[in-house]
Amino acid sequence: MEYLVQAGQLILSLSILIVLHEFGHFIPARIFKTRVEKFYLFFNPWFSLFKVKKGETEWGLGWLPLGGYVKISGMIDESMDKEQMSKPAEPWEFRSKPAWQRLIIMLGGVTVNFILGYLIYIMVLFVWGKQYLPTENATYGMYINNPALLGEDKLLHGDILVSVEGHQPKTLADAGTMIIIDGARKLEVIRNGSLKQVTLPGDISDQLLESGKKSLPFDPRVPFVAESVKKGMGADAAGIQKGDSIIGVDNEMNPFFQDIANYLGEHKASTVQLHIVRNDSSLTIPVEVNEDGFIGIQPVSPDKFLSYKTEKFTFLESIPEGISTGTETLVNYVKSLALVFSPAGAKQLGGFGSIGGMFPKSWDWQKFWLLTAFISIILAFMNLLPIPALDGGHVMFLIYEMIRGKAPSQKFLEIAQTIGMVLLLGLLVYANLNDILKLF
């Protein structure tokens, strides 16, 4: 069921982005009296799930959810309609329009995605505000999620982060970004009550990527207290109750959620001795761990132990804050692209499975809209890359035409479109194969 919820959020998010992106092409095309033959959500090779003809345009729903398209008359696109292109140009065709009009039509999709991403960030901040845990409020220290960062000469569970490259990051997530994307290597932490200088290896970004772990490098540690117990699972059968504090497992005495959850994950399909405190009494209870490494305890939310900060914004205040958030998202993504060109980074390229896995396993509108804004801005940037078959490829050739005063030949454009489609298809296959391989 959790995977269905994630898949549903992914499909809804992509549907919104695809439809609005294609309207970004459709509307200026119609303004400039250019015929649009088809408008499709998802691709429809061989057949359509639904289609209807309204005026000059066929509106339809395809069965292959890998994108969508508008087919504009007289344009060399993924349809590769050579028969139409071999005929004399008609006044309503894309190729008959001035270069500046064609440029506006081609830029319409990415413009909509950029604007949409920023608008969503603005509205999310206005409706929900921004909740975060200031670095200094991670009072129980950090839990190191990635083994590449663990070590006496690196970081240890419980280290309290003081600074990164001499600056205190706003959140632990920001610290992770500074290390992975910005190349920060010098950290200050408090360990066992003493200030310690830590210098991470120069190739730590590659090591983090090589590990394959998708989570943030570190999270705030929190105590493990049962909020609820799931019926029929090990904790329920053992008599664990709401409010029980779990302070250790087997010979590991540790009161923090992440440490115990990690231990349970390493002892799947086994029986462990859970040490708990209930009403000031200490108990040791045998508990069955299932094959997935779970015992069925829903922990108390971290904000019950840590002082999170919530910033609220008026509508006018949310506008510059949303623009700042969107721009920061774009800048960090562009910086992170350099990591893709390393062997470790290439292995981390993911397809629809990776994107779907970003969505929460229970429906959360705030997280849904934040991820939709993120994907919208990323799609806009990726579509602007000067690769034939992408909007950026068409824009590149149009700018060439406007500078030189003459368009590239139709044969050249057809070959470039074919090469671009092959490259994109290859990248799509590679990314989704990565997802499949990671499952095993």
Side-chain angles (χ1 to χ4, degrees):
M1 179 60 72
E2 291 176 343
Y3 295 113
L4 289 177
V5 171
Q6 288 180 305
Q9 292 177 89
L10 173 64
I11 291 172
L12 177 59
S13 178
L14 291 180
S15 298
I16 293 169
L17 298 179
I18 291 166
V19 168
L20 293 178
H21 176 93
E22 299 307 335
F23 266 116
H25 295 304
F26 178 86
I27 292 172
R30 298 305 297 130
I31 289 173
F32 296 132
K33 303 189 185 324
T34 308
R35 182 175 295 176
V36 180
E37 299 174 14
K38 295 182 179 182
F39 188 117
Y40 264 79
L41 170 62
F42 305 148
F43 294 122
N44 61 319
W46 304 298
F47 69 93
S48 305
L49 295 178
F50 167 82
K51 61 181 178 181
V52 62
K53 189 74 175 285
K54 294 288 186 181
E56 300 171 336
T57 306
E58 176 183 297
W59 303 80
L61 176 66
W63 59 270
L64 188 61
L66 299 181
Y69 70 95
V70 288
K71 187 180 185 306
I72 300 174
S73 296
M75 175 182 169
I76 297 174
D77 57 13
E78 57 270 13
S79 69
M80 297 301 287
D81 189 351
K82 296 182 181 180
E83 181 180 350
Q84 183 186 69
M85 299 302 294
S86 65
K87 298 175 182 178
E90 299 288 353
W92 62 79
E93 290 187 341
F94 180 81
R95 54 182 166 160
S96 298
K97 304 301 177 181
W100 67 270
Q101 292 185 5
R102 285 178 280 144
L103 183 64
I104 291 173
I105 293 171
M106 292 316 306
L107 286 173
V110 295
T111 301
V112 166
N113 280 139
F114 274 126
I115 293 173
L116 177 65
Y118 282 104
L119 282 177
I120 293 175
Y121 277 128
I122 289 168
M123 292 309 300
V124 166
L125 290 168
F126 174 60
V127 174
W128 285 286
K130 180 191 292 186
Q131 186 185 55
Y132 63 94
L133 179 70
T135 304
E136 64 271 17
N137 289 359
T139 49
Y140 297 103
M142 299 181 292
Y143 180 81
I144 312 305
N145 290 317
N146 200 301
L149 285 168
L150 268 174
E152 286 289 341
D153 57 337
K154 298 177 185 175
L155 298 171
L156 296 178
H157 300 311
D159 283 351
I160 297 175
L161 184 64
V162 176
S163 69
V164 179
E165 296 289 352
H167 303 282
Q168 184 183 61
K170 187 174 183 178
T171 66
L172 293 181
D174 291 337
T177 299
M178 293 171 71
I179 292 168
I180 298 173
I181 297 177
D182 297 330
R185 295 294 179 262
K186 296 186 182 299
L187 286 70
E188 280 187 323
V189 300
I190 295 175
R191 180 178 301 171
N192 299 324
S194 300
L195 189 66
K196 181 177 176 61
Q197 309 289 328
V198 174
T199 301
L200 299 174
D203 65 343
I204 192 63
S205 294
D206 286 339
Q207 291 184 42
L208 292 170
L209 292 172
E210 190 68 45
S211 72
K213 287 190 172 290
K214 294 286 187 181
S215 56
L216 295 170
F218 25 72
D219 286 317
R221 287 208 302 182
V222 289
F224 191 2
V225 177
E227 173 65 29
S228 62
V229 180
K230 189 172 182 179
K231 294 291 184 183
M233 294 191 68
D236 177 51
I240 303 298
Q241 300 175 10
K242 177 180 179 179
D244 284 351
S245 295
I246 295 85
I247 61 171
V249 56
D250 289 340
N251 295 321
E252 303 285 334
M253 298 303 293
N254 195 317
F256 297 106
F257 168 75
Q258 295 97 327
D259 301 274
I260 295 173
N262 185 57
Y263 185 93
L264 296 176
E266 294 172 350
H267 294 77
K268 298 175 181 178
S270 66
T271 300
V272 299
Q273 301 295 318
L274 213 61
H275 308 292
I276 69 171
V277 173
R278 179 185 299 163
N279 299 326
D280 297 326
S281 298
S282 297
L283 303 170
T284 298
I285 302 176
V287 179
E288 295 287 337
V289 185
N290 70 11
E291 294 181 352
D292 296 319
F294 299 117
I295 59 176
I297 296 178
Q298 175 66 38
V300 168
S301 175
D303 60 14
K304 301 297 183 183
F305 304 105
L306 302 172
S307 298
Y308 281 75
K309 184 176 181 180
T310 300
E311 294 181 13
K312 290 292 187 178
F313 304 93
T314 65
F315 181 70
L316 289 178
E317 290 171 340
S318 68
I319 294 173
E321 190 68 25
I323 292 172
S324 175
T325 301
T327 302
E328 182 180 351
T329 298
L330 177 60
V331 169
N332 284 337
Y333 181 77
V334 173
K335 287 181 180 179
S336 71
L337 286 180
L339 300 173
V340 174
F341 297 100
S342 68
K347 291 179 183 177
Q348 298 311 307
L349 280 175
F352 291 101
S354 293
I355 299 172
M358 295 165 61
F359 287 92
K361 293 181 179 179
S362 59
W363 204 286
D364 184 317
W365 280 112
Q366 182 180 6
K367 292 179 181 177
F368 169 83
W369 286 117
L370 283 172
L371 280 167
T372 300
F374 171 78
I375 296 170
S376 186
I377 287 177
I378 300 318
L379 283 178
F381 174 78
M382 295 300 291
N383 248 311
L384 264 183
L385 294 177
I387 299 173
L390 292 178
D391 292 345
H394 292 285
V395 169
M396 174 178 65
F397 293 131
L398 279 168
I399 292 175
Y400 169 85
E401 176 185 345
M402 294 172 77
I403 293 173
R404 190 169 180 266
K406 182 181 178 182
S409 69
Q410 180 177 314
K411 185 68 175 176
F412 174 82
L413 292 176
E414 289 174 358
I415 293 172
Q417 183 76 7
T418 301
I419 292 173
M421 289 172 65
V422 169
L423 287 173
L424 291 178
L425 182 60
L427 183 60
L428 185 66
V429 170
Y430 175 79
N432 284 283
L433 275 177
N434 268 351
D435 283 345
I436 295 170
L437 291 173
K438 287 169 191 172
L439 291 175
F440 301 98

